[in-house]
Amino acid sequence: SALKDKIKRLLKEKNAVMVSHYYVHPDLQDLAEDTGGLVSDSLEMARFGRDHSAQTLVVSGVKFMGETSKILSPHKTVLMPDLDATCSLDLGCPISEFNAFCDAHPDRTVVVYANTSAAVKARADWLVTSSCALDIVKALKDKGQKILWAPDKHLGGYIQRETGADMVFWEGACIVHDEFKAFELEALIKEHPQAKVLVHPESPKEVVALAHAVGSTSAILKAAQTLDAETFIVATDNGMLHKLRTLNPGKTFIEAPTAGNSATCKSCAHCPWMAMNGLAGVARVLEHGLNEVHVEARYLDRARLPIDRMLAFTA
Ligand code: MLT
């Protein structure tokens, strides 16, 4: 399309590269890959942006992803199609309350999810994403450390059940994953008894309990390629279905049901903030240098520390 051609031209002119999340519109995923950029999860987005030689990163995703890129590459220009695209986990963990929570548990190692503000990261010992959280908490437990976990209570609970680590939790949830319902999922499983169920651990534990594979978006992609099944039921943001379907053309992927919707719902599990990203926005910000991501100077260096630890751990 003309818009895609325009973006391709602007990327070259501005020495820019696109970094897109699996949950954004398929156009933004495909264009990133077609132009030498990346579509992936938040961990690999951060690493790719840090290591790429382009001077400008165009991050399609939500605010914390742009901020993480900026923290890792303070001398690069980071642009986002829409700066109002945020995250319920980030919004649900304001720094003043988080500071008080940390102050109340001075003996605990502070482990926070990537889906947080720069200020919260700057208070953390470790950053994790859903793809490395389990391994990092396991390693900390093996060193005898007690954990303060924030903000996703479902992911935290899953990790505690898997590792037996001593953890206290912040009460946060992702508005998309929190809506998956076990009762409706069980009914769908009965309709598709051969199907394998792939669940993101930000989902409630009753939903996780029905899974054949539990994991991050990259783990879900891997499970779809390796598990022996033709049909999969997928409990994560439905932006994920694009990559699942293009990488597995012979297989069928069905969306897991959410509250108040029937099993035939085609678009209910989609993050409204991820949906704010589009081709027109990418073209506009590239052309005019708009929507630059800034991180407050007082958080920049301190917030890089837990991110660097995570990147070194997963290197
Ligand atoms: C992320 O880390 O990008 C999100 O948690 C989604 C995922 O990859 O599981």
Side-chain angles (χ1 to χ4, degrees), residues 64-144:
F64 77 84
M65 297 173 180
E67 287 180 345
T68 300
S69 297
K70 184 68 184 176
I71 293 163
L72 288 171
S73 306
H75 302 297
K76 290 179 189 168
T77 303
V78 179
L79 306 177
M80 298 191 75
D82 195 322
L83 289 178
D84 289 329
T86 184
C87 168
S88 56
L89 287 160
D90 183 347
L91 289 176
C93 189
I95 185 59
S96 54
E97 289 163 45
F98 184 65
N99 272 333
F101 186 50
C102 293
D103 290 344
H105 299 281
D107 56 328
R108 289 178 178 268
T109 303
V110 176
V111 179
V112 306
Y113 203 27
N115 306 36
T116 45
S117 65
V120 166
K121 289 182 175 77
R123 180 72 203 246
D125 299 308
W126 282 86
L127 192 76
V128 298
T129 71
S130 46
S131 67
C132 58
L134 198 55
D135 289 341
I136 288 178
V137 171
K138 241 184 231 156
L140 297 176
K141 186 202 166 202
D142 288 348
K143 284 197 233 158

Side-chain angles (χ1 to χ4, degrees), residues 21 23 41-43 65 113 115 129-130 200 202 215-218:
H21 193 270
Y23 293 161
D41 60 16
S42 59
L43 174 65
M65 297 173 180
Y113 203 27
N115 306 36
T129 71
S130 46
H200 195 286
E202 286 172 21
S216 66
T217 52
S218 25

